[in-house]
Amino acid sequence: MAAPQFLDTDTGRSLAYHLTPASGDATAPMVVFLGGLKSDMEGTKAIHLEAWTKARGLGFLRFDYSGHGESSGTFEEGCIGDWHQDTLAAVQALTKGQILPVGSSMGGWQALLLARALPERVAGLVTIAAAPDFTEDGYWANFTDAQKAELETRGQVELPSDYMEPYVITNRMIEDGRTHLVLRDPLVLSMPVRCLQGTADTAVSTETALRLLDHATCADMRLQLVKDADHRFSDPACLALIETAVAEVLGLSGADAIS
């Protein structure tokens, strides 16, 4: 596995990344993978999509947010706004022209923030178990009075995870999340959007996916519910669905669209 490169940002953070330049049509949008909370760029979906795009001559970027993977900082220091800054810095420094963000879980929220910040650069969106506004609707809304008090006094609480060690959720993450919500105000998406969601996902509900579909203003937005798929969405069948969604947004067809 090749060693990552590092981007030093204006915020003083150092972001680890892997960039595959386009070897085919240089005008085609570059695919940018945006990972989930406490995930890194070495996950199954990112690596699979990198190979898939490379085989088709497409450019591809994957990176670690600060406090994730090999980038600088610790997870507990970060928040949605910091990771949005990281995403903007990576896209603006490492890509040119049109991009196609593929956002998984928290990365789906980041993809929506990116589309709102740089609509002229985003040619389309693909989300996988997108988790917009989860700090407010998932965490804060379900905290007990005791957890809210602990957040106030200690500045953080620990939440169990189905996939790794407990999440440390800070008061800063909750308060910052409120300044980056996308489901409360108009959300205009002027590009094609494809959303994928598993019905057995215990981290992000189908209700969240339907709420996003209903809330956004978009002329070409589709949601595909996949029976019994979980939050990882990374078995061979799910990976094939991600390929299909990316191909559809890119306008690929025939041999270019299949493995």
Side-chain angles (χ1 to χ4, degrees):
M1 185 72 69
Q5 294 180 277
F6 288 87
L7 171 68
D8 294 326
T9 73
D10 292 341
T11 60
R13 299 190 281 266
S14 181
L15 306 180
Y17 71 92
H18 287 276
L19 176 66
T20 304
S23 61
D25 182 1
T27 65
M30 174 173 282
V31 178
V32 179
F33 187 82
L34 303 175
L37 192 72
K38 295 198 80 174
S39 297
D40 61 42
M41 61 177 171
E42 301 298 332
T44 301
K45 292 186 290 292
I47 298 300
H48 180 88
L49 201 53
E50 180 179 63
W52 185 86
T53 53
K54 186 175 182 179
R56 287 152 184 79
L58 301 168
F60 185 80
L61 171 66
R62 56 186 170 101
F63 68 96
D64 287 330
Y65 310 112
S66 54
H68 292 68
E70 297 188 64
S71 291
S72 66
T74 66
F75 173 78
E76 291 76 15
E77 295 171 327
C79 60
I80 300 301
D82 291 344
W83 303 322
H84 177 50
Q85 289 177 342
D86 294 344
T87 301
L88 286 173
V91 164
Q92 291 172 326
L94 303 173
T95 73
K96 296 180 180 179
Q98 297 284 285
I99 59 172
L100 194 171
V102 178
S104 175
S105 193
M106 190 270 285
W109 189 356
Q110 292 295 337
L112 295 168
L113 290 171
L114 183 59
R116 192 167 70 178
L118 300 175
E120 71 286 353
R121 295 280 315 274
V122 177
L125 286 180
V126 174
T127 68
I128 306 157
D133 298 8
F134 73 84
T135 54
E136 191 70 12
D137 299 328
Y139 290 161
W140 181 258
N142 292 299
F143 281 165
T144 64
D145 290 341
Q147 286 174 314
K148 291 179 179 179
E150 184 180 6
L151 197 67
E152 182 69 25
T153 56
R154 293 186 59 229
Q156 64 183 47
V157 295
E158 291 188 0
L159 298 179
S161 167
D162 291 338
Y163 302 103
M164 58 190 78
E165 69 276 4
Y167 290 131
V168 175
I169 306 304
T170 63
N171 193 50
R172 178 172 180 257
M173 182 185 288
I174 297 297
E175 292 184 348
D176 171 83
R178 290 175 178 145
T179 69
H180 293 89
L181 302 175
V182 296
L183 297 179
R184 270 72 176 171
D185 297 317
L187 178 63
V188 179
L189 301 173
S190 57
M191 66 289 295
V193 179
R194 299 294 179 266
C195 304
L196 302 170
Q197 175 70 44
T199 64
D201 190 332
T202 59
V204 177
S205 67
T206 55
E207 286 78 11
T208 298
L210 290 167
R211 183 181 175 197
L212 173 59
L213 182 71
D214 182 63
H215 177 74
T217 299
C218 182
D220 184 7
M221 184 175 188
R222 302 175 192 173
L223 167 63
Q224 184 169 5
L225 297 179
V226 184
K227 185 173 176 60
D228 295 332
D230 64 17
H231 191 63
R232 289 187 176 91
F233 211 86
S234 57
D235 64 22
C238 287
L239 293 174
L241 291 174
I242 296 171
E243 294 174 6
T244 299
V246 172
E248 188 173 314
V249 171
L250 289 172
L252 301 181
S253 60
D256 290 332
I258 60 176
S259 300

